[in-house]
Amino acid sequence: DIFVHGLGHDAVGVVNYAFVWLLPHQLGFFYAEGQLRQVAGSRAAAFAAVGLGGLVLAVTVGGYPVSMIGVPGAERWNTDPPSLALVALTVWLLGLVLAARPSIEVWARRATGLVGRLNRVPLTMYLWHISAVGLAAAIAYPMGFPQVETGSARWWLLRPLWLALLAPLLLLLVLAFRRFEVHPTPIDLSHLTRPRTRYAVVGLAVASLALGVLGFGVTGFDHPLTEQGETVLSLSMNPLQNLLHLLAGLLLVQWAFTPSPFLPGGMAVAALYLLLGFAGWSGGLALFAMNAASARFHVALGTLGLAGLALAIAADRRSTARTAARP
């Protein structure tokens, strides 16, 4: 942040996409695995106070935006690149949750009715709440809902009404998509063969899905066939390229955890990325709005995918041979 905002070297801010976002990502795993359980009571309150104090200093003395998400028209965003203010926000909210956790757990165990049902779909609510915001804006703003300055007294007075507009839209989205989170029975994967190869396929799937989501976040959904792509991390993307990544990732995930021929699918996707990369490198893929960096990236992704599959296949064969050799 010093290099970006103090010295004007904007390109350095790219590394914050790793430093900042990976912090809550890893803390989430530590939280789920119980490694943060010892941060409780007064320690958790101190943790929260440090985060909140840092956040207040960041948005006052430090000049960081008050909004933790990007606001169109603003000169500076906390999310592009991710900023120190988001680190302070993470520390503050995590400390608050750790301090309140004992009481929340008691209440959640006793919760029934609507609250009990909502406790089963927290991830669905998280993943779709921004869509509810977008739908509400698309409906309410053309009908004359006031658009006032963020943080003003009138803005705060309108918050209850705004939340009342969002709630039914979010509820409809949760009802539509909760089935992906609430499974009636766990999926048994113990019978699946060649686990390492499947994991390699999943790795390629995750890379594909991440590219697709990141790409749509940058390009949006308009003009899918444009030859002038949007650039992120030096990679040029357009909606058609993003759609290809998403479809490839979804198919690989589907194949990896079923008895279907997952290995040919994984090899086909890796080979496809290689072909796209080489074609884009030679300037023959304007339809996907690839620049030289995108082409090289696809070549590297396809090469790593095929290499990972080859190593995983060899490891599974060695494991099978050892199992067969046991008396």
Side-chain angles (χ1 to χ4, degrees), residues 136-208:
I139 295 170
Y141 287 163
M143 296 177 65
F145 190 90
Q147 300 184 54
V148 299
E149 182 183 356
T150 302
S152 65
R154 194 180 178 200
W155 183 87
W156 282 108
L157 289 173
L158 286 170
R159 288 309 90 192
L161 178 58
W162 179 244
L163 292 175
L165 290 173
L166 296 179
L169 294 173
L170 179 58
L171 181 60
L172 289 173
L173 290 168
V174 169
L175 290 174
F177 296 104
R178 64 177 179 169
R179 65 189 182 91
F180 296 107
E181 183 175 0
V182 181
H183 297 286
T185 56
I187 300 174
D188 182 14
L189 303 177
S190 60
H191 65 285
L192 296 177
T193 58
R194 294 185 286 181
R196 294 170 184 81
T197 307
R198 294 179 189 274
Y199 294 154
V201 172
V202 170
L204 185 58
V206 169
S208 298

Side-chain angles (χ1 to χ4, degrees), residues 18-218:
F19 291 157
V20 175
W21 292 137
L22 285 177
L23 173 66
H25 180 269
Q26 287 302 116
L27 288 174
F29 281 108
F30 295 150
Y31 181 88
E33 294 170 356
Q35 291 157 302
L36 294 177
R37 293 289 179 92
Q38 67 271 24
V39 182
S42 59
R43 293 181 66 186
F47 199 74
V50 168
L52 181 58
L55 184 59
V56 171
L57 286 174
V59 301
T60 53
V61 178
Y64 288 87
V66 174
S67 175
M68 293 295 108
I69 61 174
V71 177
E75 294 183 1
R76 182 173 167 184
W77 289 12
N78 278 315
T79 53
D80 186 21
S83 72
L84 186 64
L86 291 177
V87 174
L89 177 71
T90 299
V91 174
W92 144 240
L93 292 179
L94 182 60
L96 185 66
V97 167
L98 292 170
R101 179 183 175 120
S103 300
I104 293 175
E105 284 185 327
V106 172
W107 172 73
R109 282 195 293 267
R110 296 174 179 173
T112 57
L114 177 62
V115 174
R117 289 193 292 272
L118 290 177
N119 278 341
R120 301 181 64 199
V121 288
L123 187 60
T124 305
M125 289 190 287
Y126 169 71
L127 291 175
W128 289 96
H129 78 280
I130 292 297
S131 298
V133 172
L135 287 172
I139 295 170
Y141 287 163
M143 296 177 65
F145 190 90
Q147 300 184 54
V148 299
E149 182 183 356
T150 302
S152 65
R154 194 180 178 200
W155 183 87
W156 282 108
L157 289 173
L158 286 170
R159 288 309 90 192
L161 178 58
W162 179 244
L163 292 175
L165 290 173
L166 296 179
L169 294 173
L170 179 58
L171 181 60
L172 289 173
L173 290 168
V174 169
L175 290 174
F177 296 104
R178 64 177 179 169
R179 65 189 182 91
F180 296 107
E181 183 175 0
V182 181
H183 297 286
T185 56
I187 300 174
D188 182 14
L189 303 177
S190 60
H191 65 285
L192 296 177
T193 58
R194 294 185 286 181
R196 294 170 184 81
T197 307
R198 294 179 189 274
Y199 294 154
V201 172
V202 170
L204 185 58
V206 169
S208 298
L209 291 170
L211 278 173
V213 172
L214 176 65
F216 276 123
V218 173

